[in-house]
Amino acid sequence: MELSRRTVIAGAAATGVTAAVSGTAHATGGRTPVKSLFGKLADGTKIYSWSLENGGTRLKVLSYGGIVQSLEIPDRRGRYTNVSLGFDNIEDYVSSSPYFGALIGRYGNRIAKGRFTLDGKAYQLSVNDGDNSLHGGAQGFDKRVWDIEPFTKGSDVGLYLYYTSVDGEMGYPGTLRSKVTYTLTRHGDWRIDYEATTDKATVVNLTSHVYWNLAGESSGTIYDHELSIAAARYTPVDSGLIPTGELAKVAGTPFDFRRTKTVGEDIRVAHQQLLYGKGLDHNWVLDKGSTARPEHIATLRDPSSGRTLKIATTEPGLQFYSGNFLDGSLVGTGGTVYRQGDGLCLETQHYPDSPNHPSFPSTVLRPGQTYRSTTVHSFSA
């Protein structure tokens, strides 16, 4: 089988990858996912929470937006805490959420002016971020109700999430049928497998928007977290956070995370790119490029608790966002107010605005093809 730049091998081979990248030593013994009512939308639609546990990791997922409502892992002393930012009620997710824990689509990140041309035809998307389209538009996948089916497979447990986006939704061409699989492995890894098919040529870029704080979601800033990213280049942006098209070297800039350093080490350096993003909100060009199997690309560690997150992916890019726009107006699950830097995002992806940059890896999906992408989150302490 010939693999495209966006294709990954699934099935038995993929299971081996999960074990290879985990590096964890949690006990096995998954529990069957448990469904409970989380709340209702204004129109009466019931929103459910699914609770999963395996290998020392505890995960709660909502049918609204495929949202990770909480993810609990132990510290070096075995003490559990929720390491993802979020809310304890559906009303805040609907009215106020800056994409906390959500599945993002059809297109993760920004598309300039909400416009692109494909096969000679121009498309206008929903514009919801100044002049630009962000994360699929005003009613992206994060604001849709997903159909969810639980599963147990060998020593793994998980959820299948399904959503069909009709032709023209948010301006995108083609009916897109998406399936996303959340798996908790016996090692305690959280694996995400994305799949999608279309009946018309379209663009697709799915990702997950968890805000991480490995010390705990209500513990304060992530500036003392230690981070490394396997990327020698990044994509600079203009004042609207749209890539200029340049693949700039990170050497000698605040964007150099090739050696492990704290998130806050250079975040207040007087650099024009940091002024544009009010901190770090950029795409790193991963050294490995697009790969058929997930490869390790980033490590995040909280020195106070010992909790460590390692990320492996098939994607060519990583959006690192340092929580710059958290402004003290949101109250999280722990009952505290979220302020700037209280969480960070590490979104595996194709580059922002790729449909308008022919030199970037393509995000085009055509009938007869299957979009596939995999990201694995491995935890230890």
Short mmCIF file of all heavy atoms in Angstrom, two decimals, residues 202-249:
data_model
loop_
_atom_site.label_atom_id
_atom_site.label_comp_id
_atom_site.label_asym_id
_atom_site.label_seq_id
_atom_site.Cartn_x
_atom_site.Cartn_y
_atom_site.Cartn_z
N THR A 202 -11.99 18.66 -0.39
CA THR A 202 -12.10 19.60 0.73
C THR A 202 -10.75 19.70 1.43
O THR A 202 -9.75 19.12 0.96
CB THR A 202 -13.20 19.14 1.70
OG1 THR A 202 -13.49 20.18 2.63
CG2 THR A 202 -12.83 17.86 2.44
N VAL A 203 -10.70 20.45 2.52
CA VAL A 203 -9.49 20.52 3.35
C VAL A 203 -9.85 20.07 4.75
O VAL A 203 -10.95 20.34 5.24
CB VAL A 203 -8.86 21.93 3.36
CG1 VAL A 203 -8.34 22.30 1.98
CG2 VAL A 203 -9.85 22.98 3.86
N VAL A 204 -8.92 19.36 5.39
CA VAL A 204 -9.17 18.80 6.73
C VAL A 204 -7.90 18.93 7.57
O VAL A 204 -6.79 18.68 7.08
CB VAL A 204 -9.57 17.30 6.65
CG1 VAL A 204 -9.97 16.80 8.03
CG2 VAL A 204 -10.68 17.07 5.66
N ASN A 205 -8.09 19.28 8.84
CA ASN A 205 -6.97 19.39 9.77
C ASN A 205 -7.55 19.25 11.18
O ASN A 205 -7.92 20.23 11.80
CB ASN A 205 -6.26 20.73 9.60
CG ASN A 205 -4.97 20.83 10.40
OD1 ASN A 205 -4.30 19.83 10.65
ND2 ASN A 205 -4.62 22.04 10.79
N LEU A 206 -7.65 18.02 11.68
CA LEU A 206 -8.27 17.75 12.98
C LEU A 206 -7.21 17.73 14.08
O LEU A 206 -6.08 17.29 13.87
CB LEU A 206 -9.02 16.43 12.94
CG LEU A 206 -10.05 16.24 11.83
CD1 LEU A 206 -10.76 14.91 11.99
CD2 LEU A 206 -11.06 17.38 11.81
N THR A 207 -7.60 18.19 15.26
CA THR A 207 -6.68 18.16 16.39
C THR A 207 -7.46 18.18 17.70
O THR A 207 -8.69 18.21 17.71
CB THR A 207 -5.68 19.34 16.33
OG1 THR A 207 -4.65 19.14 17.31
CG2 THR A 207 -6.36 20.67 16.58
N SER A 208 -6.72 18.17 18.80
CA SER A 208 -7.30 18.21 20.15
C SER A 208 -6.76 19.44 20.87
O SER A 208 -5.58 19.79 20.73
CB SER A 208 -6.93 16.95 20.93
OG SER A 208 -7.32 17.07 22.28
N HIS A 209 -7.64 20.10 21.64
CA HIS A 209 -7.30 21.39 22.24
C HIS A 209 -7.30 21.32 23.77
O HIS A 209 -7.84 22.19 24.44
CB HIS A 209 -8.28 22.45 21.75
CG HIS A 209 -7.72 23.84 21.69
ND1 HIS A 209 -7.42 24.56 22.82
CD2 HIS A 209 -7.42 24.63 20.64
CE1 HIS A 209 -6.97 25.76 22.47
NE2 HIS A 209 -6.96 25.82 21.13
N VAL A 210 -6.68 20.31 24.32
CA VAL A 210 -6.54 20.21 25.78
C VAL A 210 -5.58 21.29 26.28
O VAL A 210 -4.53 21.52 25.69
CB VAL A 210 -6.03 18.82 26.20
CG1 VAL A 210 -5.70 18.78 27.68
CG2 VAL A 210 -7.08 17.76 25.87
N TYR A 211 -5.97 21.96 27.36
CA TYR A 211 -5.08 22.88 28.07
C TYR A 211 -4.45 22.10 29.21
O TYR A 211 -5.14 21.69 30.15
CB TYR A 211 -5.86 24.05 28.65
CG TYR A 211 -6.32 25.12 27.69
CD1 TYR A 211 -7.29 24.85 26.73
CD2 TYR A 211 -5.82 26.42 27.77
CE1 TYR A 211 -7.74 25.84 25.87
CE2 TYR A 211 -6.27 27.42 26.92
CZ TYR A 211 -7.23 27.13 25.97
OH TYR A 211 -7.68 28.11 25.13
N TRP A 212 -3.14 21.93 29.17
CA TRP A 212 -2.45 21.14 30.17
C TRP A 212 -1.90 22.00 31.31
O TRP A 212 -1.36 23.09 31.08
CB TRP A 212 -1.27 20.39 29.54
CG TRP A 212 -1.63 19.46 28.43
CD1 TRP A 212 -1.53 19.69 27.08
CD2 TRP A 212 -2.15 18.13 28.55
NE1 TRP A 212 -1.96 18.60 26.37
CE2 TRP A 212 -2.35 17.63 27.25
CE3 TRP A 212 -2.47 17.32 29.65
CZ2 TRP A 212 -2.85 16.35 27.00
CZ3 TRP A 212 -2.97 16.06 29.41
CH2 TRP A 212 -3.15 15.58 28.10
N ASN A 213 -2.01 21.49 32.53
CA ASN A 213 -1.25 21.98 33.66
C ASN A 213 -0.95 20.76 34.52
O ASN A 213 -1.82 20.25 35.22
CB ASN A 213 -2.02 23.03 34.47
CG ASN A 213 -1.17 23.66 35.55
OD1 ASN A 213 -0.36 22.98 36.19
ND2 ASN A 213 -1.35 24.96 35.79
N LEU A 214 0.27 20.26 34.42
CA LEU A 214 0.62 18.99 35.05
C LEU A 214 0.71 19.09 36.57
O LEU A 214 0.75 18.06 37.26
CB LEU A 214 1.92 18.45 34.46
CG LEU A 214 1.90 18.14 32.96
CD1 LEU A 214 3.25 17.56 32.51
CD2 LEU A 214 0.77 17.17 32.62
N ALA A 215 0.72 20.29 37.11
CA ALA A 215 0.67 20.45 38.56
C ALA A 215 -0.76 20.38 39.07
O ALA A 215 -0.98 20.23 40.27
CB ALA A 215 1.31 21.78 38.96
N GLY A 216 -1.72 20.49 38.17
CA GLY A 216 -3.12 20.49 38.53
C GLY A 216 -3.83 21.69 37.94
O GLY A 216 -3.25 22.79 37.88
N GLU A 217 -5.07 21.51 37.49
CA GLU A 217 -5.74 22.56 36.72
C GLU A 217 -6.00 23.84 37.51
O GLU A 217 -6.25 24.88 36.92
CB GLU A 217 -7.04 22.04 36.10
CG GLU A 217 -8.10 21.58 37.08
CD GLU A 217 -8.93 22.71 37.67
OE1 GLU A 217 -9.16 23.72 37.00
OE2 GLU A 217 -9.35 22.55 38.84
N SER A 218 -5.93 23.82 38.80
CA SER A 218 -6.19 25.02 39.60
C SER A 218 -4.96 25.45 40.39
O SER A 218 -5.07 26.14 41.40
CB SER A 218 -7.35 24.77 40.56
OG SER A 218 -7.06 23.69 41.43
N SER A 219 -3.77 25.08 39.90
CA SER A 219 -2.56 25.26 40.70
C SER A 219 -1.76 26.52 40.36
O SER A 219 -0.75 26.79 41.00
CB SER A 219 -1.64 24.05 40.52
OG SER A 219 -1.23 23.94 39.16
N GLY A 220 -2.18 27.28 39.35
CA GLY A 220 -1.40 28.45 38.96
C GLY A 220 -0.78 28.29 37.59
O GLY A 220 -1.23 27.45 36.80
N THR A 221 0.26 29.07 37.31
CA THR A 221 0.79 29.10 35.95
C THR A 221 1.64 27.87 35.61
O THR A 221 2.09 27.13 36.50
CB THR A 221 1.66 30.34 35.71
OG1 THR A 221 2.95 30.15 36.31
CG2 THR A 221 1.02 31.59 36.25
N ILE A 222 1.85 27.72 34.29
CA ILE A 222 2.68 26.63 33.76
C ILE A 222 4.08 27.15 33.39
O ILE A 222 4.83 26.43 32.73
CB ILE A 222 2.01 25.99 32.52
CG1 ILE A 222 1.39 27.04 31.59
CG2 ILE A 222 0.93 25.01 32.97
CD1 ILE A 222 2.35 27.84 30.78
N TYR A 223 4.44 28.34 33.82
CA TYR A 223 5.71 28.91 33.39
C TYR A 223 6.93 28.15 33.91
O TYR A 223 8.02 28.24 33.34
CB TYR A 223 5.80 30.38 33.80
CG TYR A 223 4.80 31.27 33.10
CD1 TYR A 223 4.24 32.37 33.75
CD2 TYR A 223 4.41 31.01 31.79
CE1 TYR A 223 3.31 33.18 33.11
CE2 TYR A 223 3.49 31.82 31.14
CZ TYR A 223 2.95 32.89 31.81
OH TYR A 223 2.03 33.69 31.17
N ASP A 224 6.75 27.37 35.01
CA ASP A 224 7.87 26.59 35.52
C ASP A 224 7.91 25.18 34.93
O ASP A 224 8.81 24.40 35.24
CB ASP A 224 7.85 26.52 37.04
CG ASP A 224 6.60 25.85 37.59
OD1 ASP A 224 5.64 25.62 36.80
OD2 ASP A 224 6.56 25.56 38.80
N HIS A 225 6.92 24.82 34.09
CA HIS A 225 6.96 23.53 33.41
C HIS A 225 8.17 23.49 32.46
O HIS A 225 8.50 24.49 31.81
CB HIS A 225 5.69 23.30 32.59
CG HIS A 225 4.51 22.84 33.39
ND1 HIS A 225 4.24 23.30 34.66
CD2 HIS A 225 3.51 21.96 33.09
CE1 HIS A 225 3.14 22.71 35.11
NE2 HIS A 225 2.67 21.90 34.18
N GLU A 226 8.78 22.34 32.38
CA GLU A 226 9.93 22.15 31.49
C GLU A 226 9.45 21.52 30.19
O GLU A 226 8.71 20.54 30.20
CB GLU A 226 10.96 21.25 32.17
CG GLU A 226 11.50 21.83 33.47
CD GLU A 226 12.23 20.82 34.33
OE1 GLU A 226 12.14 19.62 34.03
OE2 GLU A 226 12.87 21.24 35.31
N LEU A 227 9.90 22.07 29.06
CA LEU A 227 9.41 21.64 27.75
C LEU A 227 10.54 21.47 26.77
O LEU A 227 11.49 22.27 26.74
CB LEU A 227 8.41 22.68 27.21
CG LEU A 227 7.84 22.43 25.80
CD1 LEU A 227 6.95 21.19 25.78
CD2 LEU A 227 7.06 23.66 25.32
N SER A 228 10.43 20.43 25.95
CA SER A 228 11.33 20.28 24.80
C SER A 228 10.48 19.96 23.58
O SER A 228 9.48 19.24 23.69
CB SER A 228 12.37 19.19 25.03
OG SER A 228 11.75 17.92 25.18
N ILE A 229 10.86 20.52 22.43
CA ILE A 229 10.17 20.28 21.16
C ILE A 229 11.22 19.98 20.10
O ILE A 229 12.17 20.75 19.93
CB ILE A 229 9.33 21.51 20.71
CG1 ILE A 229 8.31 21.89 21.79
CG2 ILE A 229 8.63 21.22 19.38
CD1 ILE A 229 7.56 23.18 21.46
N ALA A 230 11.05 18.87 19.39
CA ALA A 230 12.02 18.46 18.37
C ALA A 230 11.73 19.20 17.07
O ALA A 230 11.18 18.66 16.11
CB ALA A 230 11.94 16.95 18.15
N ALA A 231 12.11 20.47 17.05
CA ALA A 231 11.85 21.32 15.88
C ALA A 231 12.91 22.40 15.78
O ALA A 231 13.11 23.17 16.73
CB ALA A 231 10.47 21.95 15.96
N ALA A 232 13.56 22.49 14.64
CA ALA A 232 14.57 23.51 14.39
C ALA A 232 13.99 24.74 13.70
O ALA A 232 14.68 25.75 13.54
CB ALA A 232 15.71 22.95 13.53
N ARG A 233 12.72 24.67 13.29
CA ARG A 233 12.08 25.79 12.61
C ARG A 233 10.65 25.98 13.12
O ARG A 233 10.06 25.07 13.70
CB ARG A 233 12.07 25.58 11.09
CG ARG A 233 13.47 25.56 10.47
CD ARG A 233 13.43 25.34 8.95
NE ARG A 233 14.75 25.27 8.38
CZ ARG A 233 15.46 26.32 7.96
NH1 ARG A 233 14.91 27.54 8.02
NH2 ARG A 233 16.66 26.17 7.46
N TYR A 234 10.12 27.16 12.88
CA TYR A 234 8.74 27.47 13.20
C TYR A 234 8.19 28.37 12.11
O TYR A 234 8.93 28.83 11.23
CB TYR A 234 8.62 28.12 14.58
CG TYR A 234 9.03 29.57 14.65
CD1 TYR A 234 8.07 30.59 14.77
CD2 TYR A 234 10.37 29.95 14.60
CE1 TYR A 234 8.44 31.92 14.83
CE2 TYR A 234 10.74 31.28 14.67
CZ TYR A 234 9.78 32.26 14.79
OH TYR A 234 10.14 33.59 14.85
N THR A 235 6.87 28.62 12.14
CA THR A 235 6.26 29.46 11.12
C THR A 235 5.91 30.82 11.73
O THR A 235 4.90 30.92 12.46
CB THR A 235 5.00 28.81 10.52
OG1 THR A 235 4.12 28.40 11.58
CG2 THR A 235 5.37 27.58 9.70
N PRO A 236 6.70 31.86 11.46
CA PRO A 236 6.37 33.21 11.96
C PRO A 236 5.01 33.66 11.43
O PRO A 236 4.56 33.22 10.37
CB PRO A 236 7.49 34.09 11.41
CG PRO A 236 8.61 33.14 11.09
CD PRO A 236 7.95 31.86 10.67
N VAL A 237 4.38 34.58 12.18
CA VAL A 237 3.04 35.05 11.83
C VAL A 237 3.02 36.56 11.69
O VAL A 237 3.92 37.27 12.15
CB VAL A 237 2.02 34.60 12.90
CG1 VAL A 237 1.92 33.09 12.96
CG2 VAL A 237 2.38 35.17 14.28
N ASP A 238 1.92 37.06 11.08
CA ASP A 238 1.70 38.50 11.05
C ASP A 238 0.89 38.91 12.26
O ASP A 238 0.63 38.09 13.16
CB ASP A 238 1.04 38.90 9.73
CG ASP A 238 -0.35 38.29 9.53
OD1 ASP A 238 -0.97 37.83 10.52
OD2 ASP A 238 -0.81 38.26 8.38
N SER A 239 0.42 40.15 12.29
CA SER A 239 -0.29 40.65 13.47
C SER A 239 -1.62 39.94 13.69
O SER A 239 -2.18 39.98 14.79
CB SER A 239 -0.52 42.15 13.35
OG SER A 239 -1.27 42.45 12.18
N GLY A 240 -2.15 39.26 12.64
CA GLY A 240 -3.38 38.49 12.79
C GLY A 240 -3.14 37.03 13.10
O GLY A 240 -4.07 36.22 13.06
N LEU A 241 -1.89 36.68 13.40
CA LEU A 241 -1.47 35.32 13.73
C LEU A 241 -1.62 34.37 12.53
O LEU A 241 -1.82 33.16 12.70
CB LEU A 241 -2.21 34.78 14.96
CG LEU A 241 -2.03 35.60 16.24
CD1 LEU A 241 -2.78 34.96 17.40
CD2 LEU A 241 -0.56 35.76 16.59
N ILE A 242 -1.47 34.91 11.33
CA ILE A 242 -1.47 34.13 10.10
C ILE A 242 -0.03 33.93 9.65
O ILE A 242 0.74 34.90 9.58
CB ILE A 242 -2.27 34.84 8.99
CG1 ILE A 242 -3.74 34.98 9.40
CG2 ILE A 242 -2.15 34.09 7.67
CD1 ILE A 242 -4.49 33.68 9.55
N PRO A 243 0.39 32.69 9.34
CA PRO A 243 1.77 32.47 8.90
C PRO A 243 2.15 33.32 7.69
O PRO A 243 1.34 33.51 6.77
CB PRO A 243 1.79 30.97 8.55
CG PRO A 243 0.72 30.38 9.40
CD PRO A 243 -0.36 31.43 9.45
N THR A 244 3.37 33.82 7.71
CA THR A 244 3.88 34.61 6.59
C THR A 244 4.31 33.73 5.42
O THR A 244 4.49 34.22 4.31
CB THR A 244 5.09 35.44 7.03
OG1 THR A 244 6.15 34.54 7.43
CG2 THR A 244 4.73 36.35 8.21
N GLY A 245 4.49 32.43 5.68
CA GLY A 245 4.98 31.50 4.68
C GLY A 245 6.43 31.10 4.90
O GLY A 245 6.92 30.11 4.35
N GLU A 246 7.12 31.86 5.76
CA GLU A 246 8.52 31.57 6.07
C GLU A 246 8.61 30.40 7.05
O GLU A 246 7.78 30.24 7.94
CB GLU A 246 9.18 32.80 6.68
CG GLU A 246 10.64 32.61 7.07
CD GLU A 246 11.23 33.79 7.81
OE1 GLU A 246 10.48 34.74 8.13
OE2 GLU A 246 12.45 33.76 8.10
N LEU A 247 9.63 29.57 6.88
CA LEU A 247 9.99 28.56 7.86
C LEU A 247 11.28 29.04 8.51
O LEU A 247 12.38 28.81 8.02
CB LEU A 247 10.19 27.18 7.20
CG LEU A 247 9.03 26.64 6.38
CD1 LEU A 247 9.35 25.24 5.85
CD2 LEU A 247 7.74 26.61 7.19
N ALA A 248 11.14 29.74 9.63
CA ALA A 248 12.27 30.42 10.25
C ALA A 248 12.99 29.51 11.24
O ALA A 248 12.37 28.65 11.89
CB ALA A 248 11.80 31.68 10.95
N LYS A 249 14.27 29.72 11.40
CA LYS A 249 15.05 28.96 12.36
C LYS A 249 14.73 29.42 13.78
O LYS A 249 14.57 30.62 14.04
CB LYS A 249 16.54 29.12 12.08
CG LYS A 249 17.00 28.52 10.77
CD LYS A 249 18.50 28.69 10.57
CE LYS A 249 18.95 28.06 9.26
NZ LYS A 249 20.42 28.24 9.04
#
